[in-house]
Amino acid sequence: MTSGFPLNANNDGEILPTVDAAVQTKDNGNKIFFCENNPIKKTEYNKPHMKPQDYMSKCKERTDGYSWGSRIYVLLWAPGFNTDEHKIDELGTDSTGSDGLITLNSRDGSIRSDSKTTCNPFIETGKDHGLFYGSIKLRGFSTTVNDDGVRMYGGDRCEGSHNRNGQGTLDDGVAGVASGQDGAITMTFEYAEDKIMSKTATHTWRIADFNFDKEEYTMDDTATITIKDLDGLRYPFDKKTGYQMHIWSDTDKGGVEVNAYWKPNFRGTPQMHGDYPVKVTFIDPDRRESTVRELYYSAGGSQVELKVSPGDNIYAEYYDRTLPKPYSTEDKLKLNAIATITEGPQTGVIVVNPPVTENDNLHAKQFAFTKYTSGGEYLVSLWWDSWEYWTNQPTANSDNAVNIEIVDAMTEKPVSNVSYKLNVLFDDDSLIEQQHEHTRTDVVDLSIENDGLIEILLSDIGEATEPLKFKFMVDSELQPNAPFTQVSTD
């Protein structure tokens, strides 16, 4: 099970513990469960009304999708180690194996829970339960994670009172192991001499999502620009590590720089989400300068005031330092997002805005929209021959065209002989469906004769498995010179 769904503690008697399970030997049905969430509240630990099944039912088991700073909560069913029904038993710190030994291994490190005499053990969830609890950690490697010089921890260690401010198992867990860009963490449990069982979970870096929450705003709106990246958490619930982004507008080209801090996302398991939002309010350029209010999210989160004028584009930029292979651990990737300040209320149509680049001197290409394929193979740029930059939409005429360029995501060098399927929809009606063999820049003629939503879908892009979609609204009222706009003479 890897998807983060809770275990069924009531029906699966073959897997889940029961309090009256027969205890004969220390290899009597031992089982290891990795949970993405913490199944034990301090207020419910070792309480008479709590049974092993109650803790198991709260475990959302997961064995993939972790990052280099993740914490894995572990439930260990080992009824043979329930040696005294009147006390809380412990296991995991005995190098002889008679009272169990826990070892963590990764591609980058290894640690045993007997490495110090004060290492935290796994603890029984309640008297006479036979279910034991602990947590294990991915500790990353020592490197700078942001522009303020904050570093990841790295190294292997067992948790316990020998560490500065060290606390017990419920707070600090059992042990942590060094972890790199990707790999796996394996926990082994030696429950008797030369008798070992294990459990493994995988981890990897990923490319961050970076977007405004809307494509268009009015001057009275509040925007939110969010970095979504689990790799940002040096440890679960890390609210103190900020990640710098640059936000500016056509009116205020210098803009502001601000640190974004982690915000819990309770739509799932909070520590499995890496959301770093910044709120942006808009001010008239004649009022005052753009300002920054930078706070940990627990104190309200970072906020900026940005000078804008109706018709402006607003921009945001962020450098992702934790990238998946084939990037190296030294690489960083610039991510961009764009939105527009409109003259009045929105039409009700909200689409996901793609990032934008401005790294080419060609007039048309400077308004290119870019996206990375999900696996980080390619960077795809799309721009129009004719673009209304004041209203942020393609020019409505019969001889416009879309340009498509595909480059290697890591080197940004052009690629050739990459095939892809192109679909163009206008208000859900198919206009173009073509197979392309990309060489340098593909040009696709596209006549725009009506108001509506244009969707451009690229799928089966070389080795990439997921499609990319670009969306554009065409509104004739914002283009008075468009050939299909009807001007009243009454």
Side-chain angles (χ1 to χ4, degrees):
M1 183 183 297
T2 63
S3 59
F5 289 112
L7 296 169
N8 187 338
N10 298 315
N11 300 326
D12 197 342
E14 295 300 315
I15 293 179
L16 302 178
T18 57
V19 72
D20 58 350
V23 179
Q24 298 174 350
T25 66
K26 290 192 174 182
D27 59 355
N28 177 37
N30 301 327
K31 298 184 185 298
I32 302 172
F33 299 96
F34 281 0
C35 314
E36 69 174 37
N37 63 313
N38 190 347
I40 295 183
K41 294 181 180 180
K42 279 189 176 182
T43 56
E44 296 177 344
Y45 172 66
N46 189 28
K47 298 298 182 182
H49 69 280
M50 294 295 292
K51 306 301 180 186
Q53 298 94 319
D54 298 323
Y55 298 116
M56 292 299 298
S57 67
K58 298 175 187 292
C59 171
K60 297 180 181 179
E61 193 181 21
R62 179 178 289 277
T63 54
D64 62 3
Y66 294 101
S67 188
W68 67 330
S70 294
R71 183 169 178 171
I72 302 173
Y73 303 90
V74 183
L75 291 175
L76 177 54
W77 173 236
F81 288 80
N82 177 22
T83 58
D84 190 334
E85 63 179 346
H86 300 296
K87 75 171 189 177
I88 297 295
D89 292 303
E90 300 177 349
L91 64 79
T93 59
D94 187 351
S95 57
T96 68
S98 62
D99 285 327
L101 177 65
I102 299 295
T103 303
L104 301 183
N105 291 289
S106 73
R107 191 180 296 166
D108 305 279
S110 180
I111 186 70
R112 289 163 46 129
S113 58
D114 67 339
S115 60
K116 294 185 181 294
T117 58
T118 52
C119 290
N120 288 338
F122 270 70
I123 55 177
E124 201 171 8
T125 57
K127 297 173 184 178
D128 201 30
H129 277 193
L131 178 66
F132 293 80
Y133 167 82
S135 62
I136 59 178
K137 302 175 182 178
L138 295 155
R139 290 178 52 83
F141 60 94
S142 182
T143 187
T144 301
V145 301
N146 65 9
D147 295 326
D148 295 326
V150 175
R151 299 187 69 82
M152 188 59 170
Y153 300 103
D156 312 315
R157 79 175 194 180
C158 74
E159 301 296 346
S161 59
H162 55 276
N163 296 321
R164 181 183 179 186
N165 299 322
Q167 300 184 69
T169 301
L170 287 175
D171 294 296
D172 282 352
V174 174
V177 66
S179 52
Q181 185 178 21
D182 62 11
I185 179 173
T186 298
M187 184 186 109
T188 61
F189 173 40
E190 184 178 2
Y191 51 87
E193 187 175 359
D194 297 327
K195 291 188 176 182
I196 296 173
M197 62 187 302
S198 65
K199 188 87 168 185
T200 297
T202 59
H203 64 91
T204 186
W205 283 352
R206 64 221 75 202
I207 295 177
D209 289 328
F210 185 55
N211 280 293
F212 286 101
D213 60 336
K214 294 181 182 179
E215 185 184 57
E216 296 179 350
Y217 303 95
T218 66
M219 291 288 292
D220 296 329
D221 286 336
T222 297
T224 301
I225 175 72
T226 304
I227 305 164
K228 292 181 179 288
D229 191 358
L230 183 60
D231 307 335
L233 289 169
R234 294 188 301 150
Y235 54 88
F237 307 101
D238 174 12
K239 297 181 179 181
K240 296 185 177 181
T241 305
Y243 294 93
Q244 191 176 77
M245 64 174 77
H246 181 201
I247 306 170
W248 73 100
S249 69
D250 292 331
T251 295
D252 185 356
K253 296 186 181 298
V256 295
E257 292 186 345
V258 60
N259 278 323
Y261 294 92
W262 180 77
K263 174 189 177 182
N265 183 339
F266 293 103
R267 293 178 181 175
T269 302
Q271 58 267 43
M272 293 299 294
H273 292 279
D275 292 4
Y276 296 80
V278 171
K279 291 188 178 297
V280 185
T281 55
F282 308 116
I283 58 174
D284 188 281
D286 296 329
R287 290 178 58 190
R288 58 180 178 273
E289 294 301 309
S290 298
T291 62
V292 174
R293 183 173 180 263
E294 192 170 284
L295 295 168
Y296 299 156
Y297 203 87
S298 58
S302 294
Q303 302 174 15
V304 303
E305 291 182 316
L306 183 67
K307 293 194 302 182
V308 299
S309 303
D312 272 7
N313 284 339
I314 54 173
Y315 311 88
E317 179 180 280
Y318 163 70
Y319 282 90
D320 188 351
R321 299 171 182 263
T322 50
L323 304 170
K325 293 177 180 178
Y327 294 95
S328 79
T329 57
E330 301 299 319
D331 289 332
K332 61 181 181 178
L333 181 66
K334 183 173 73 172
L335 303 178
N336 297 88
I338 187 173
T340 301
I341 305 299
T342 63
E343 295 282 352
Q346 293 178 237
T347 62
V349 178
I350 299 173
V351 296
V352 176
N353 70 284
V356 65
T357 61
E358 299 180 64
N359 58 1
D360 194 289
N361 292 326
L362 295 176
H363 177 73
K365 192 179 176 183
Q366 70 176 320
F367 301 105
F369 294 83
T370 66
K371 287 190 176 184
Y372 290 89
T373 53
S374 59
E377 302 93 346
Y378 308 109
L379 171 63
V380 178
S381 299
L382 185 150
W383 68 96
W384 296 80
D385 275 357
S386 183
W387 179 258
E388 299 291 315
Y389 64 90
W390 287 111
T391 57
N392 197 36
Q393 59 179 304
T395 302
N397 58 43
S398 59
D399 59 354
N400 211 335
V402 171
N403 300 265
I404 300 170
E405 181 181 81
I406 303 174
V407 300
D408 182 271
M410 185 171 181
T411 64
E412 296 195 10
K413 293 181 178 180
V415 296
S416 58
N417 301 319
V418 173
S419 63
Y420 65 92
K421 184 177 180 181
L422 174 70
N423 287 281
V424 180
L425 303 175
F426 190 88
D427 284 345
D428 295 328
D429 293 330
S430 178
L431 296 182
I432 296 173
E433 187 172 339
Q434 300 174 350
Q435 185 71 30
H436 282 261
E437 190 78 19
H438 184 72
T439 51
R440 298 286 292 185
T441 300
D442 298 326
V443 181
V444 180
D445 293 331
L446 189 58
S447 177
I448 303 176
E449 299 179 350
N450 295 288
D451 289 353
L453 176 65
I454 299 174
E455 298 177 87
I456 300 176
L457 182 70
L458 284 74
S459 57
D460 301 326
I461 309 171
E463 301 173 355
T465 57
E466 295 187 12
L468 298 179
K469 181 181 286 188
F470 299 83
K471 297 183 179 182
F472 305 92
M473 283 299 303
V474 178
D475 186 346
S476 61
E477 293 184 2
L478 300 179
Q479 297 188 43
N481 296 322
F484 59 82
T485 300
Q486 300 298 315
V487 180
S488 174
T489 58
D490 293 341

